[in-house]
Amino acid sequence: MANLKMSWRAWHKWVGLFFSIFILMFCFSGIVLNHRRFFSSCEVSRWWLPNAYHIENWNQNVVRATLPYESGLLVYGQAGIWKSNSDFCEWEDFNEGIALGIDNRKITNVVQSGDGKLWCSALYEAYCYDNLEERWLPLELPNNEERISDIALRGKDTIVVLTRSALYEAVAPEYKFELHLLKTPKAYENKVSLFKTIWMLHSGELFGCVGRLVVDMVAVALIVLCLTGIVFFVLPYRMRKMKLAEEKRKLASWMKWNLTLHNRLGAGLIILTLILSVTGMCLRPPLMVPLAMTKTAPMPYSALDHENVFHDKLRAIRWDENMNEWLISTSDGFYHLDEDLLNAEPEAFAPNEAPHVSPMGVNVFTRNPQQGCESEWLVGSFSGLYRWNPQTGNLLDWFTGKPVERSYGRTVGFHAVTGWSHDLTCTSNEKPVVFEYSAAPSESLPPMPEVLQKQPMSLWNFALELHVGRCYEPFLGSVFSVLFIFLSGLLLTLTLISGYIIYRRTHKKIIKTK
C-alpha cells in the first residue's frame, strides 16, 4: 500500500507538473472556442505560427470563388472580398462596411441580382452593397441570432439567406426578408451521432448558455488547480533559502492556504473535471471514429432535442433551374425541395446519389460551366471535388473523371478543396483553377500579393488549432499529433484521479488522528 501511495503521489506531482502547461493551453483556448462571436474581432499574426499556417501560393482558403464584376473580378474567401482583374495582378480591398476582424470577414458566397445589387454572406451577417455609399450594409433578418451559412439567387429577383437552422427569402424591389422554417421530411428519423452529443456536452452547448458557462467555470477551476499546484511545488524550495523565521512562517501560511484551495477545489469539482477530460479525449482519434458512426435519439430537453429537425444543420443552398428546385446541403446530407419554401417538404437524396461532403462543410457549390454539362454541379469540400448530376444521380470525381462508387469518404481526402474558379485568364488555355487548403492550385498563378499574405488568423481559429493539437504537428509529427488529444485526456484523467485518491487518503488520516 505504501508503494502504491507513493506511486500515486509521484504520478500526480511529476506528470501534473509537466502537463500543467498543456492543461492551461486547453483551458484558455476552450474558453475562446466557447464564445466565438465575443472574440470575433481578435486576430493573431500568422508569422508567429508554424509555416503550415502561413498564406503562401494561394492556400489557406483565401480564394473560395470569383464573381465577374465591372470588367474585373470579385475574389472572396477566408480573407474577405477583394477586387481584382482576370489575371490576378491588381488587388483592391472591397470589405468596407463589413465588421472588423478576420473572423467576421469569412465570406461563403457573393451573388449579383438582376438589378445589379451585390449580396454576400459572411459568418455572422449577410450584406448588400450600397453603390452610393460604397460600402456593405448588413441585412435585416428578423429574429436571427444564428450564424449565416450561405446566400443564393433564384432567377434574378429572389434572394435567399441560409442560416444554420432556417431560411430568409426576399423578392425585388422591396427585398423584405421573411423567415421560413423547413418542414420535417417524410419518414425522417430524428437521430444524431453520438459524437455530436459528446461534442456538445464537452463544450456545454448541450445545455445552452448555462451549460457553456458551467464549462467555462470548470476551465477556470483547472487553471487555478494548475497554478496552485505549481506554487505548492515551488514554495518549499524558496523556503529553504530563507533565513528569517518570520518570513518562513508567512510563506508557510500562504503555502497551507494554497494547498487547501487546491485540495478543496479539486475534490469539489472532480466529477465535472473528469467529464470534461473524458469527453474531450473522445472527440479525436481513435475514439471519435466509432462515436461518429453511432446514432442515437437526441437527449431529451437538451439543445439537440429541437422541434426544428434542421436546427444547426443547414450549410449551403442553390437554385437548380433544370429541376426547378432548391438544392440544400446539410450536415445530414443533401435535400431538394420546390420553390415554395414555406410549404415545400424537403426530400433527401439517397446516399449513393449525392456527393460526400467533409464535416467541415461545402466550399464549392457551383454550376459546371463546361459545354454539355449544364445539368451538373461542382461540389467541393475537404473530401474532394465532384461533378454531380442531381437529376440522374451520376457522380464523377473531378480529378480522375471516374465514377464515385461509394457515398462516403474520408474526412480529409487526397484533395482538400477550398475553392474553384473558371474566370481567370492567366492560366493555360484559361482552364478552371481548383484551390486547396495546403497544396498549390491546380494551375500556375501569379505570385500572391503581399496584402493577402499578411492576412491574420482569427483568434478563434488559432484557439481551435491549439485545442485539437494540430499546431503541435511540426514538433510531434503527424502520427503523434493525431493521438495528442486522446493521450492528453488520458493523462489529465489519471492526474485528476490520483489527486483525488491522495486527498481522500490524507483526509481520512487526519480524521483518524483527531
Side-chain angles (χ1 to χ4, degrees):
M1 290 296 292
N3 291 334
L4 181 62
K5 182 179 179 180
M6 289 301 295
S7 67
W8 281 125
R9 283 191 178 277
W11 178 277
H12 188 73
K13 178 180 179 180
W14 296 110
V15 175
L17 184 66
F18 166 76
F19 196 58
S20 60
I21 184 65
F22 294 102
I23 299 174
L24 290 172
M25 294 297 179
F26 283 131
C27 293
F28 285 120
S29 61
I31 291 173
V32 173
L33 292 177
N34 245 6
H35 303 280
R36 182 170 188 175
R37 192 156 195 168
F38 181 81
F39 292 101
S40 62
S41 61
C42 302
E43 302 171 338
V44 176
S45 173
R46 292 178 181 268
W47 301 112
W48 294 99
L49 305 177
N51 290 336
Y53 295 100
H54 292 184
I55 300 177
E56 298 172 341
N57 203 11
W58 307 101
N59 62 352
Q60 299 291 330
N61 204 4
V62 169
V63 180
R64 186 182 181 104
T66 58
L67 178 72
Y69 180 69
E70 292 184 350
S71 72
L73 297 176
L74 291 183
V75 184
Y76 56 93
Q78 293 288 317
I81 308 174
W82 300 79
K83 287 181 71 173
S84 181
N85 52 7
S86 59
D87 58 6
F88 264 29
C89 292
E90 299 176 5
W91 292 85
E92 178 185 345
D93 193 319
F94 202 68
N95 293 293
E96 184 66 32
I98 299 178
L100 296 177
I102 200 70
D103 211 33
N104 291 309
R105 297 188 170 185
K106 293 183 177 180
I107 308 299
T108 54
N109 200 18
V110 180
V111 296
Q112 187 172 23
S113 52
D115 53 10
K117 289 181 178 290
L118 286 174
W119 311 77
C120 79
S121 53
L123 192 62
Y124 300 110
E125 298 280 358
Y127 296 89
C128 178
Y129 190 74
D130 190 309
N131 291 301
L132 295 178
E133 296 187 20
E134 296 186 340
R135 60 186 288 113
W136 293 96
L137 301 178
L139 302 179
E140 293 185 9
L141 305 178
N143 303 317
N144 179 54
E145 297 180 355
E146 292 192 313
R147 287 161 52 185
I148 306 297
S149 294
D150 202 1
I151 193 167
L153 274 173
R154 179 172 67 83
K156 294 291 185 179
D157 62 350
T158 302
I159 299 290
V160 169
V161 176
L162 187 74
T163 71
R164 303 274 287 195
S165 303
L167 304 96
Y168 287 86
E169 184 180 30
V171 181
E174 294 85 3
Y175 292 118
K176 183 178 180 181
F177 285 89
E178 296 182 0
L179 172 65
H180 299 308
L181 295 177
L182 293 179
K183 290 181 173 292
T184 302
K186 289 181 180 178
Y188 181 81
E189 192 174 10
N190 190 17
K191 287 190 175 183
V192 296
S193 69
L194 192 55
F195 173 80
K196 185 170 185 179
T197 302
I198 293 177
W199 179 6
M200 294 182 68
L201 178 62
H202 180 71
S203 67
E205 190 181 354
L206 191 65
F207 304 105
C209 181
V210 174
R212 287 199 300 270
L213 292 176
V214 170
V215 169
D216 291 343
M217 178 195 70
V218 176
V220 172
L222 282 171
I223 292 172
V224 174
L225 288 173
C226 287
L227 296 179
T228 53
I230 293 172
V231 169
F232 186 72
F233 174 81
V234 172
L235 284 185
Y237 294 96
R238 186 178 176 186
M239 287 179 65
R240 291 179 194 144
K241 296 181 180 181
M242 288 184 173
K243 297 180 180 180
L244 297 177
E246 183 63 25
E247 288 183 352
K248 285 188 176 182
R249 278 195 296 271
K250 288 182 180 179
L251 203 58
S253 176
W254 186 31
M255 187 167 68
K256 182 179 179 181
W257 177 86
N258 183 84
L259 179 61
T260 300
L261 175 62
H262 185 85
N263 288 338
R264 290 182 178 177
L265 189 61
L269 295 177
I270 184 64
I271 300 298
L272 291 177
T273 51
L274 282 176
I275 290 175
L276 197 64
S277 177
V278 173
T279 54
M281 65 190 290
C282 290
L283 299 181
R284 297 289 286 171
L287 296 181
M288 69 171 287
V289 177
L291 294 176
M293 297 176 65
T294 304
K295 292 203 170 186
T296 62
M299 183 182 294
Y301 306 108
S302 70
L304 289 173
D305 187 21
H306 204 282
E307 60 181 9
N308 178 10
V309 298
F310 288 102
H311 178 72
D312 198 37
K313 294 180 179 180
L314 304 180
R315 298 295 183 267
I317 185 170
R318 294 291 184 272
W319 173 253
D320 191 311
E321 299 88 351
N322 297 316
M323 297 176 63
N324 203 38
E325 288 186 318
W326 290 102
L327 302 177
I328 299 180
S329 173
T330 76
S331 57
D332 290 337
F334 280 86
Y335 288 80
H336 61 100
L337 68 159
D338 66 35
E339 60 183 310
D340 187 359
L341 294 174
L342 184 61
N343 300 307
E345 185 176 280
E347 294 184 35
F349 284 96
N352 61 347
E353 294 180 350
H356 173 73
V357 174
S358 164
M360 280 74 84
V362 171
N363 294 320
V364 176
F365 198 0
T366 186
R367 278 289 188 187
N368 188 347
Q370 295 177 331
Q371 190 173 2
C373 301
E374 293 79 8
S375 298
E376 285 187 351
W377 288 88
L378 300 180
V379 179
S381 70
F382 276 26
S383 295
L385 181 62
Y386 304 98
R387 293 170 52 186
W388 176 42
N389 188 328
Q391 293 177 284
T392 63
N394 289 339
L395 194 62
L396 301 176
D397 186 283
W398 167 270
F399 298 97
T400 65
K402 297 179 180 180
V404 178
E405 298 179 356
R406 296 180 293 179
S407 61
Y408 56 90
R410 303 190 307 173
T411 300
V412 178
F414 294 107
H415 298 278
V417 175
T418 57
W420 189 89
S421 174
H422 73 286
D423 299 317
L424 305 183
T425 59
C426 53
T427 61
S428 58
N429 298 322
E430 299 185 6
K431 289 183 179 179
V433 181
V434 179
F435 297 89
E436 299 187 34
Y437 183 76
S438 53
S442 60
E443 297 291 324
S444 297
L445 297 177
M448 288 190 68
E450 188 177 357
V451 68
L452 287 184
Q453 289 182 315
K454 289 184 176 181
Q455 291 300 304
M457 175 182 280
S458 71
L459 178 63
W460 187 90
N461 274 108
F462 172 70
L464 178 63
E465 297 299 304
L466 195 64
H467 202 73
V468 301
R470 279 195 293 264
C471 61
Y472 302 126
E473 184 172 339
F475 316 106
L476 302 177
S478 57
V479 176
F480 191 72
S481 65
V482 170
L483 298 174
F484 177 75
I485 297 300
F486 172 74
L487 296 176
S488 298
L490 195 60
L491 290 176
L492 176 56
T493 300
L494 293 175
T495 302
L496 291 169
I497 292 174
S498 63
Y500 186 73
I501 291 173
I502 295 168
Y503 169 77
R504 292 301 301 171
R505 287 177 176 173
T506 305
H507 187 65
K508 287 181 179 179
K509 186 177 180 180
I510 293 174
I511 293 176
K512 287 181 179 179
T513 303
K514 290 182 179 180

